[in-house]
Amino acid sequence: MILVLAGTSDARELALSIKETGYDLLATVVTENAAKSIEEAGLPVQVGRLTSADIEALIREKGFQAVVDASHPYAEEASKNAMAGAEAAGVPYIRYERESVQSPGHEKIIFAEDYVQAAEIAAEKRGVIMLTTGSKTLKIFSDRLLGLPDTTLVARMLPRTDNMQKCEELGIEQKNIVAMQGPFSKELNKALYDHYKVTLMITKESGKVGAFDEKVEAALEMGIETIVIARPKIDYGTKFSDFAGVIGQLKQLLPLSQNA
């Protein structure tokens, strides 16, 4: 049995590949929406955030033989909990992370080490700022940008009730909320930038599947400055950017004849 931390579209496809290879598995996700996608693929799924202790207990209870962490590239806490839980339970940890997209060298691109630095750079730039990094770190940006002269913060995020409540609590006006499920084409990105007259876009380097390049290419073609937040620097140990690498490692560690 394999425990798979999922939640992204490519994580679901990886879980399917693991199952088709012959391993039993359980996928864990944070939201009901992500769970629905996993269930539609015919995979067993558990919903809810897991601490390292939760993961250790789950491994021991269900008899998992390995943990495959295919969480989002920026889900730093989830990955650290997975590594700690696997280590405490004495099972192998394997990281799958979608391949990084080389950011194009361009005078309009500004790199930031983290969310705080990105928000501070944006506060200096001002203008119409479109934030495409989701709701989890929204407060970092709203604290530094809302109320600044000549500054409008447009927040783009998933169309979830809790996200809308967070926007209301932080003081982001409804007219400045884009609640849509991505990924977005380059053409749609351009249309949104044009509609809001965006002068600065903030994004994460989430990889090809996360439509990073479409967001950035659209912005650069329109002459819009772009702040790119770097991925968290984590030493994962065993890490792959392709399904074959993960499955090959599973076969090496857990020959299919031993799969329970």
Side-chain angles (χ1 to χ4, degrees), residues 26-252:
L26 173 68
T28 69
V29 296
V30 174
T31 68
E32 292 290 348
N33 189 60
K36 183 179 179 181
S37 176
I38 298 288
E39 288 171 344
E40 288 174 349
L43 298 170
V45 62
Q46 176 174 311
V47 184
R49 295 186 185 278
L50 298 172
T51 65
S52 58
D54 292 334
I55 291 172
E56 179 188 358
L58 190 60
I59 292 169
R60 295 187 186 281
E61 177 189 347
K62 302 289 187 181
F64 291 112
Q65 298 161 290
V67 173
V68 174
D69 173 15
S71 58
H72 193 277
Y74 287 79
E76 184 174 359
E77 183 179 355
S79 290
K80 288 181 176 178
N81 286 341
M83 283 188 281
E87 182 178 8
V91 301
Y93 167 91
I94 303 169
R95 170 63 171 167
Y96 166 78
E97 187 169 286
R98 61 179 64 155
E99 189 173 359
S100 177
V101 176
Q102 185 64 39
S103 302
H106 197 286
E107 61 181 8
K108 293 287 185 181
I109 290 184
I110 304 160
F111 291 96
E113 292 184 1
D114 54 29
Y115 296 97
V116 172
Q117 186 180 49
E120 290 172 349
I121 294 170
E124 294 176 3
K125 296 284 184 181
R126 305 194 181 186
V128 180
I129 302 163
M130 179 168 281
L131 181 66
T132 68
T133 59
S135 64
K136 190 174 181 181
T137 56
L138 182 57
K139 191 175 188 301
I140 294 173
F141 294 92
S142 63
D143 283 351
R144 290 164 176 79
L145 299 174
L146 290 184
L148 279 180
D150 305 315
T151 303
T152 301
L153 177 62
V154 179
R156 192 171 98 181
M157 62 190 63
L158 292 172
R160 288 170 37 183
T161 303
D162 57 336
N163 287 346
M164 300 306 100
Q165 290 173 340
K166 180 177 286 189
C167 286
E168 184 176 0
E169 291 168 1
L170 294 175
I172 297 173
E173 296 182 72
Q174 289 184 13
K175 66 180 181 181
N176 294 328
I177 301 171
V178 180
M180 298 175 67
Q181 172 96 37
F184 301 84
S185 66
K186 185 166 69 173
E187 291 71 22
L188 181 51
N189 278 301
K190 283 186 171 183
L192 289 171
Y193 299 154
D194 180 63
H195 176 76
Y196 286 96
K197 308 304 177 190
V198 173
T199 61
L200 178 69
M201 191 269 286
I202 304 175
T203 187
K204 300 180 288 190
E205 199 287 272
S206 51
K208 177 67 178 176
V209 179
F212 164 80
D213 47 356
E214 285 84 354
K215 279 190 284 191
V216 174
E217 287 175 10
L220 297 183
E221 287 182 13
M222 295 177 70
I224 296 170
E225 282 194 298
T226 299
I227 298 174
V228 177
I229 302 169
R231 291 185 179 186
K233 294 179 175 62
I234 301 175
D235 182 7
Y236 294 107
T238 305
K239 175 183 170 183
F240 300 95
S241 294
D242 63 316
F243 295 176
V246 173
I247 291 170
Q249 183 72 4
L250 285 173
K251 287 180 176 178
Q252 182 177 331

